[in-house]
Amino acid sequence: MTTQDGAAQSYRAVVRTLAGAQKPALPGSPPYSVYVNRRAGRLIAAWAYRAGLSPNAVTGISAVLTFSGILVIALVPTAPWVGLVVWLLLALGYAFDSADGQVARLAGGGSPAGEWLDHVVDSAKISALHLAVAVAMFRFFGFSSAAWLLIPVLYVVVANVTFFGMILNDLLRAARGGSSDRTPGSRSALKTLLLVPTDYGVLCLVFLLLGWPALFTIVYGLFFVANLGALGIALPRWFRQMRELGRKSDVR
């Protein structure tokens, strides 16, 4: 479809088109991303497409919203209303992040430049969010020990290794002709529950607790431990998959 086609269609018609073209949920997809954010992104994508916005423009809006929320974390003293503002900005930024790919599909497919931009924004977001938490803890939380700052600093490492590992897995498989292990399939209730702490959308909800620094730190710290555990389980599995991929490539 072209932009003119999108403008001529009703909003509901575009939403239905997106719903019909939606990719099946992957087994490793966190629940908020699948059941909440993807649907919110669909509504935004329909609006953006009818308004004639490009996928890159939607990515830009996502970045502005997300980094505005991150700046609020680092610069504004903690209070209940601050947590609400941060959550709203981060959640909207995440929804627009889902929408850019859906707009690209409506427009006939994405581009390497668009995919590159999306990943660069995501990588910057992952680092900046946890570093902003470290700044907020140092400036506003009033902790007697600087050791608490290790939580967001280590969270940066875990989040970046996880993100880079998933991207690198897909790139190496594509380069060597392998298939992704993230294929549509059944999702057990237990696995879905275990994935909750790794879901960026659920992490955004944690910032609603910013007005209560001690409670926020406890919940945020538990999320860090859960993500560290998930990465500890994933890394050996990814390494085995890459080793097997190398063996298959050598046989060819």
Side-chain angles (χ1 to χ4, degrees), residues 53-216:
L53 295 180
S54 68
N56 288 349
V58 177
T59 301
I61 295 172
S62 171
V64 169
L65 289 167
T66 298
F67 289 104
S68 294
I70 290 172
L71 285 175
V72 172
I73 295 170
L75 301 178
V76 182
T78 55
W81 70 266
V82 174
L84 180 62
V85 170
V86 169
W87 166 74
L88 184 61
L89 289 170
L90 294 180
L92 283 174
Y94 192 35
F96 271 87
D97 185 36
S98 174
D100 59 7
Q102 298 187 57
V103 173
R105 284 196 293 276
L106 282 172
S111 66
E115 187 173 0
W116 178 89
L117 179 64
D118 188 45
H119 288 327
V120 167
V121 170
D122 283 342
S123 62
K125 170 183 72 178
I126 288 169
S127 298
L129 179 65
H130 299 293
L131 292 176
V133 172
V135 172
M137 284 185 172
F138 178 77
R139 297 185 64 195
F140 309 127
F141 281 27
F143 291 142
S144 58
S145 174
W148 291 103
L149 300 179
L150 287 174
I151 298 175
V153 169
L154 293 175
Y155 212 149
V156 172
V157 178
V158 170
N160 274 286
V161 172
T162 301
F163 179 75
F164 181 74
M166 290 189 297
I167 297 299
L168 186 58
N169 289 345
D170 289 342
L171 288 175
L172 289 174
R173 287 191 183 95
R176 292 176 177 265
S179 59
S180 174
D181 68 332
R182 297 188 295 163
T183 55
S186 60
R187 292 155 40 92
S188 69
L190 177 60
K191 185 173 183 180
T192 298
L193 182 62
L194 293 174
L195 286 171
V196 167
T198 68
D199 196 325
Y200 176 81
V202 179
L203 177 62
C204 294
L205 288 169
V206 175
F207 287 92
L208 288 169
L209 303 175
L210 266 181
W212 301 271
L215 180 58
F216 170 83

